[in-house]
Amino acid sequence: MNSVHPTAQIIGNVSLGSGNTIGPLAVIIGPVTIGNGNWVGTGCVIGAPPEVRSWAHPADALAPGSGNGIHIGNNNVIREYAQIHQGWHDQTRIGNDVFVMNQSYIAHDCTLEDGATLASSVLLAGHVRIGAGANLGLGTCVHQRRYVGAGAMIGMGSVVTRNVPPFAKAYGNPAKVASANRVGMERAGIPVPTITAVESAYGTTLNEALEDLDGLEGFEEALAAWRIHAQS
């Protein structure tokens, strides 16, 4: 049902669905729930304690139960030496069809929604949320409690210190919205008039842009999620 390399370590309360591949030297420390059809590469560490100074780290670094858990959905790819830490206040959560490239770091209480992509060496601080279908370029760093909206694209080497709205293109240090992700909107089936309006709005200041996008067909769900999570 699952292919687990003999050198991998699965410790404590770890639930595996079916069709998962766990590579050499991977370490998974419960509580962790993993769905179906996931691919975990060499040397990944999933389930280490949250990196919080005040956290009571166990005497045994591989002791299970040190954290509030990790939930990983279905059909995700987690490449070599990526790290996903236990939740601190809540669970750390990975949705479905997420692609996490090598040496990426996902801290405690992060959420990656369905279809998100992290390129190599992306660093997410605690409580970060990455929206569905968002794409973070090589070496991007995201400050704690930031929200990258659905379908957004972040340029390589960017430092995200502010929330990024849905289907925006942003880059730089600090990252700033430069334009709209037209290709992403087309792939998401968003109507052309809405795409045109988003492109125009992202040429203005952010608050004005969001006001102008209310009620646009195909954009309502992403904008509603933005308003919920960007203010939380």
PDB file of all heavy atoms in Angstrom, residues 186-210:
ATOM      1  N   GLU A 186      -6.093  33.202 -16.216  1.00  0.00           N
ATOM      2  CA  GLU A 186      -6.609  32.494 -17.389  1.00  0.00           C
ATOM      3  C   GLU A 186      -6.717  30.998 -17.106  1.00  0.00           C
ATOM      4  O   GLU A 186      -7.721  30.352 -17.442  1.00  0.00           O
ATOM      5  CB  GLU A 186      -5.704  32.751 -18.583  1.00  0.00           C
ATOM      6  CG  GLU A 186      -5.778  34.187 -19.112  1.00  0.00           C
ATOM      7  CD  GLU A 186      -4.743  34.476 -20.184  1.00  0.00           C
ATOM      8  OE1 GLU A 186      -3.778  33.679 -20.331  1.00  0.00           O
ATOM      9  OE2 GLU A 186      -4.887  35.500 -20.880  1.00  0.00           O
ATOM     10  N   ARG A 187      -5.690  30.438 -16.478  1.00  0.00           N
ATOM     11  CA  ARG A 187      -5.704  29.011 -16.165  1.00  0.00           C
ATOM     12  C   ARG A 187      -6.794  28.666 -15.160  1.00  0.00           C
ATOM     13  O   ARG A 187      -7.312  27.550 -15.142  1.00  0.00           O
ATOM     14  CB  ARG A 187      -4.341  28.581 -15.630  1.00  0.00           C
ATOM     15  CG  ARG A 187      -3.249  28.585 -16.691  1.00  0.00           C
ATOM     16  CD  ARG A 187      -1.894  28.279 -16.093  1.00  0.00           C
ATOM     17  NE  ARG A 187      -0.862  28.200 -17.126  1.00  0.00           N
ATOM     18  CZ  ARG A 187       0.434  28.133 -16.876  1.00  0.00           C
ATOM     19  NH1 ARG A 187       0.871  28.131 -15.609  1.00  0.00           N
ATOM     20  NH2 ARG A 187       1.306  28.068 -17.866  1.00  0.00           N
ATOM     21  N   ALA A 188      -7.131  29.623 -14.302  1.00  0.00           N
ATOM     22  CA  ALA A 188      -8.181  29.399 -13.302  1.00  0.00           C
ATOM     23  C   ALA A 188      -9.578  29.602 -13.881  1.00  0.00           C
ATOM     24  O   ALA A 188     -10.571  29.430 -13.169  1.00  0.00           O
ATOM     25  CB  ALA A 188      -7.975  30.336 -12.116  1.00  0.00           C
ATOM     26  N   GLY A 189      -9.659  29.963 -15.169  1.00  0.00           N
ATOM     27  CA  GLY A 189     -10.948  30.131 -15.816  1.00  0.00           C
ATOM     28  C   GLY A 189     -11.670  31.411 -15.458  1.00  0.00           C
ATOM     29  O   GLY A 189     -12.886  31.515 -15.618  1.00  0.00           O
ATOM     30  N   ILE A 190     -10.933  32.413 -15.004  1.00  0.00           N
ATOM     31  CA  ILE A 190     -11.542  33.696 -14.657  1.00  0.00           C
ATOM     32  C   ILE A 190     -11.889  34.443 -15.946  1.00  0.00           C
ATOM     33  O   ILE A 190     -11.079  34.504 -16.872  1.00  0.00           O
ATOM     34  CB  ILE A 190     -10.585  34.513 -13.773  1.00  0.00           C
ATOM     35  CG1 ILE A 190     -10.420  33.804 -12.414  1.00  0.00           C
ATOM     36  CG2 ILE A 190     -11.077  35.939 -13.567  1.00  0.00           C
ATOM     37  CD1 ILE A 190      -9.403  34.438 -11.497  1.00  0.00           C
ATOM     38  N   PRO A 191     -13.083  35.011 -16.032  1.00  0.00           N
ATOM     39  CA  PRO A 191     -13.508  35.689 -17.274  1.00  0.00           C
ATOM     40  C   PRO A 191     -12.590  36.850 -17.652  1.00  0.00           C
ATOM     41  O   PRO A 191     -12.008  37.519 -16.774  1.00  0.00           O
ATOM     42  CB  PRO A 191     -14.912  36.192 -16.927  1.00  0.00           C
ATOM     43  CG  PRO A 191     -15.375  35.342 -15.807  1.00  0.00           C
ATOM     44  CD  PRO A 191     -14.147  34.993 -15.017  1.00  0.00           C
ATOM     45  N   VAL A 192     -12.478  37.100 -18.942  1.00  0.00           N
ATOM     46  CA  VAL A 192     -11.595  38.150 -19.450  1.00  0.00           C
ATOM     47  C   VAL A 192     -11.903  39.526 -18.868  1.00  0.00           C
ATOM     48  O   VAL A 192     -10.978  40.262 -18.480  1.00  0.00           O
ATOM     49  CB  VAL A 192     -11.633  38.180 -20.996  1.00  0.00           C
ATOM     50  CG1 VAL A 192     -10.884  39.399 -21.535  1.00  0.00           C
ATOM     51  CG2 VAL A 192     -11.030  36.899 -21.564  1.00  0.00           C
ATOM     52  N   PRO A 193     -13.173  39.947 -18.753  1.00  0.00           N
ATOM     53  CA  PRO A 193     -13.428  41.266 -18.162  1.00  0.00           C
ATOM     54  C   PRO A 193     -12.891  41.394 -16.739  1.00  0.00           C
ATOM     55  O   PRO A 193     -12.389  42.461 -16.350  1.00  0.00           O
ATOM     56  CB  PRO A 193     -14.956  41.380 -18.194  1.00  0.00           C
ATOM     57  CG  PRO A 193     -15.369  40.484 -19.303  1.00  0.00           C
ATOM     58  CD  PRO A 193     -14.418  39.331 -19.257  1.00  0.00           C
ATOM     59  N   THR A 194     -12.995  40.307 -15.977  1.00  0.00           N
ATOM     60  CA  THR A 194     -12.454  40.336 -14.613  1.00  0.00           C
ATOM     61  C   THR A 194     -10.936  40.447 -14.646  1.00  0.00           C
ATOM     62  O   THR A 194     -10.337  41.210 -13.881  1.00  0.00           O
ATOM     63  CB  THR A 194     -12.879  39.076 -13.845  1.00  0.00           C
ATOM     64  OG1 THR A 194     -14.298  39.051 -13.733  1.00  0.00           O
ATOM     65  CG2 THR A 194     -12.268  39.052 -12.455  1.00  0.00           C
ATOM     66  N   ILE A 195     -10.301  39.689 -15.525  1.00  0.00           N
ATOM     67  CA  ILE A 195      -8.837  39.752 -15.639  1.00  0.00           C
ATOM     68  C   ILE A 195      -8.399  41.176 -15.981  1.00  0.00           C
ATOM     69  O   ILE A 195      -7.452  41.712 -15.380  1.00  0.00           O
ATOM     70  CB  ILE A 195      -8.343  38.759 -16.713  1.00  0.00           C
ATOM     71  CG1 ILE A 195      -8.609  37.316 -16.261  1.00  0.00           C
ATOM     72  CG2 ILE A 195      -6.855  38.973 -17.001  1.00  0.00           C
ATOM     73  CD1 ILE A 195      -8.302  36.275 -17.315  1.00  0.00           C
ATOM     74  N   THR A 196      -9.069  41.775 -16.917  1.00  0.00           N
ATOM     75  CA  THR A 196      -8.728  43.147 -17.309  1.00  0.00           C
ATOM     76  C   THR A 196      -8.884  44.106 -16.140  1.00  0.00           C
ATOM     77  O   THR A 196      -8.034  44.986 -15.919  1.00  0.00           O
ATOM     78  CB  THR A 196      -9.612  43.593 -18.479  1.00  0.00           C
ATOM     79  OG1 THR A 196      -9.437  42.686 -19.578  1.00  0.00           O
ATOM     80  CG2 THR A 196      -9.268  45.004 -18.928  1.00  0.00           C
ATOM     81  N   ALA A 197      -9.955  43.941 -15.360  1.00  0.00           N
ATOM     82  CA  ALA A 197     -10.192  44.814 -14.216  1.00  0.00           C
ATOM     83  C   ALA A 197      -9.121  44.628 -13.147  1.00  0.00           C
ATOM     84  O   ALA A 197      -8.659  45.600 -12.538  1.00  0.00           O
ATOM     85  CB  ALA A 197     -11.578  44.538 -13.627  1.00  0.00           C
ATOM     86  N   VAL A 198      -8.707  43.379 -12.910  1.00  0.00           N
ATOM     87  CA  VAL A 198      -7.663  43.112 -11.906  1.00  0.00           C
ATOM     88  C   VAL A 198      -6.343  43.731 -12.351  1.00  0.00           C
ATOM     89  O   VAL A 198      -5.628  44.354 -11.562  1.00  0.00           O
ATOM     90  CB  VAL A 198      -7.517  41.600 -11.662  1.00  0.00           C
ATOM     91  CG1 VAL A 198      -6.322  41.315 -10.751  1.00  0.00           C
ATOM     92  CG2 VAL A 198      -8.793  41.025 -11.042  1.00  0.00           C
ATOM     93  N   GLU A 199      -6.008  43.562 -13.627  1.00  0.00           N
ATOM     94  CA  GLU A 199      -4.769  44.156 -14.137  1.00  0.00           C
ATOM     95  C   GLU A 199      -4.769  45.671 -13.942  1.00  0.00           C
ATOM     96  O   GLU A 199      -3.753  46.264 -13.558  1.00  0.00           O
ATOM     97  CB  GLU A 199      -4.589  43.814 -15.615  1.00  0.00           C
ATOM     98  CG  GLU A 199      -4.233  42.363 -15.872  1.00  0.00           C
ATOM     99  CD  GLU A 199      -4.025  42.080 -17.348  1.00  0.00           C
ATOM    100  OE1 GLU A 199      -4.868  42.487 -18.166  1.00  0.00           O
ATOM    101  OE2 GLU A 199      -3.011  41.447 -17.686  1.00  0.00           O
ATOM    102  N   SER A 200      -5.886  46.292 -14.214  1.00  0.00           N
ATOM    103  CA  SER A 200      -5.985  47.736 -14.049  1.00  0.00           C
ATOM    104  C   SER A 200      -5.899  48.138 -12.582  1.00  0.00           C
ATOM    105  O   SER A 200      -5.195  49.084 -12.215  1.00  0.00           O
ATOM    106  CB  SER A 200      -7.301  48.232 -14.644  1.00  0.00           C
ATOM    107  OG  SER A 200      -7.465  49.617 -14.428  1.00  0.00           O
ATOM    108  N   ALA A 201      -6.607  47.388 -11.725  1.00  0.00           N
ATOM    109  CA  ALA A 201      -6.653  47.735 -10.305  1.00  0.00           C
ATOM    110  C   ALA A 201      -5.290  47.612  -9.646  1.00  0.00           C
ATOM    111  O   ALA A 201      -4.941  48.422  -8.782  1.00  0.00           O
ATOM    112  CB  ALA A 201      -7.664  46.845  -9.592  1.00  0.00           C
ATOM    113  N   TYR A 202      -4.494  46.619 -10.036  1.00  0.00           N
ATOM    114  CA  TYR A 202      -3.201  46.424  -9.392  1.00  0.00           C
ATOM    115  C   TYR A 202      -2.179  47.468  -9.821  1.00  0.00           C
ATOM    116  O   TYR A 202      -1.051  47.475  -9.340  1.00  0.00           O
ATOM    117  CB  TYR A 202      -2.686  45.009  -9.655  1.00  0.00           C
ATOM    118  CG  TYR A 202      -3.359  43.954  -8.792  1.00  0.00           C
ATOM    119  CD1 TYR A 202      -3.107  42.610  -8.972  1.00  0.00           C
ATOM    120  CD2 TYR A 202      -4.267  44.311  -7.791  1.00  0.00           C
ATOM    121  CE1 TYR A 202      -3.729  41.642  -8.202  1.00  0.00           C
ATOM    122  CE2 TYR A 202      -4.893  43.357  -7.014  1.00  0.00           C
ATOM    123  CZ  TYR A 202      -4.625  42.023  -7.220  1.00  0.00           C
ATOM    124  OH  TYR A 202      -5.245  41.070  -6.449  1.00  0.00           O
ATOM    125  N   GLY A 203      -2.574  48.363 -10.695  1.00  0.00           N
ATOM    126  CA  GLY A 203      -1.731  49.515 -11.009  1.00  0.00           C
ATOM    127  C   GLY A 203      -1.963  50.681 -10.074  1.00  0.00           C
ATOM    128  O   GLY A 203      -1.284  51.703 -10.175  1.00  0.00           O
ATOM    129  N   THR A 204      -2.947  50.541  -9.132  1.00  0.00           N
ATOM    130  CA  THR A 204      -3.237  51.606  -8.172  1.00  0.00           C
ATOM    131  C   THR A 204      -2.746  51.176  -6.798  1.00  0.00           C
ATOM    132  O   THR A 204      -2.111  50.134  -6.639  1.00  0.00           O
ATOM    133  CB  THR A 204      -4.744  51.885  -8.129  1.00  0.00           C
ATOM    134  OG1 THR A 204      -5.420  50.710  -7.628  1.00  0.00           O
ATOM    135  CG2 THR A 204      -5.284  52.203  -9.518  1.00  0.00           C
ATOM    136  N   THR A 205      -3.045  51.970  -5.784  1.00  0.00           N
ATOM    137  CA  THR A 205      -2.676  51.574  -4.434  1.00  0.00           C
ATOM    138  C   THR A 205      -3.517  50.387  -4.006  1.00  0.00           C
ATOM    139  O   THR A 205      -4.632  50.179  -4.493  1.00  0.00           O
ATOM    140  CB  THR A 205      -2.868  52.730  -3.438  1.00  0.00           C
ATOM    141  OG1 THR A 205      -4.254  53.070  -3.398  1.00  0.00           O
ATOM    142  CG2 THR A 205      -2.044  53.938  -3.840  1.00  0.00           C
ATOM    143  N   LEU A 206      -3.012  49.596  -3.055  1.00  0.00           N
ATOM    144  CA  LEU A 206      -3.623  48.320  -2.733  1.00  0.00           C
ATOM    145  C   LEU A 206      -5.057  48.472  -2.232  1.00  0.00           C
ATOM    146  O   LEU A 206      -5.956  47.765  -2.673  1.00  0.00           O
ATOM    147  CB  LEU A 206      -2.784  47.591  -1.687  1.00  0.00           C
ATOM    148  CG  LEU A 206      -3.298  46.217  -1.258  1.00  0.00           C
ATOM    149  CD1 LEU A 206      -3.465  45.312  -2.447  1.00  0.00           C
ATOM    150  CD2 LEU A 206      -2.353  45.599  -0.239  1.00  0.00           C
ATOM    151  N   ASN A 207      -5.314  49.382  -1.322  1.00  0.00           N
ATOM    152  CA  ASN A 207      -6.661  49.530  -0.782  1.00  0.00           C
ATOM    153  C   ASN A 207      -7.657  49.893  -1.874  1.00  0.00           C
ATOM    154  O   ASN A 207      -8.774  49.376  -1.925  1.00  0.00           O
ATOM    155  CB  ASN A 207      -6.690  50.590   0.326  1.00  0.00           C
ATOM    156  CG  ASN A 207      -6.008  50.088   1.590  1.00  0.00           C
ATOM    157  OD1 ASN A 207      -5.884  48.883   1.799  1.00  0.00           O
ATOM    158  ND2 ASN A 207      -5.571  51.006   2.426  1.00  0.00           N
ATOM    159  N   GLU A 208      -7.272  50.807  -2.756  1.00  0.00           N
ATOM    160  CA  GLU A 208      -8.144  51.167  -3.864  1.00  0.00           C
ATOM    161  C   GLU A 208      -8.375  49.969  -4.773  1.00  0.00           C
ATOM    162  O   GLU A 208      -9.483  49.739  -5.253  1.00  0.00           O
ATOM    163  CB  GLU A 208      -7.531  52.320  -4.659  1.00  0.00           C
ATOM    164  CG  GLU A 208      -7.466  53.641  -3.896  1.00  0.00           C
ATOM    165  CD  GLU A 208      -6.672  54.683  -4.659  1.00  0.00           C
ATOM    166  OE1 GLU A 208      -6.078  54.334  -5.693  1.00  0.00           O
ATOM    167  OE2 GLU A 208      -6.630  55.840  -4.208  1.00  0.00           O
ATOM    168  N   ALA A 209      -7.343  49.176  -5.003  1.00  0.00           N
ATOM    169  CA  ALA A 209      -7.457  48.017  -5.883  1.00  0.00           C
ATOM    170  C   ALA A 209      -8.496  47.043  -5.351  1.00  0.00           C
ATOM    171  O   ALA A 209      -9.353  46.553  -6.086  1.00  0.00           O
ATOM    172  CB  ALA A 209      -6.100  47.324  -6.013  1.00  0.00           C
ATOM    173  N   LEU A 210      -8.445  46.742  -4.067  1.00  0.00           N
ATOM    174  CA  LEU A 210      -9.369  45.773  -3.500  1.00  0.00           C
ATOM    175  C   LEU A 210     -10.807  46.276  -3.548  1.00  0.00           C
ATOM    176  O   LEU A 210     -11.736  45.510  -3.783  1.00  0.00           O
ATOM    177  CB  LEU A 210      -8.951  45.444  -2.070  1.00  0.00           C
ATOM    178  CG  LEU A 210      -7.583  44.767  -1.940  1.00  0.00           C
ATOM    179  CD1 LEU A 210      -7.254  44.499  -0.482  1.00  0.00           C
ATOM    180  CD2 LEU A 210      -7.525  43.483  -2.741  1.00  0.00           C
TER     181      LEU A 210
END
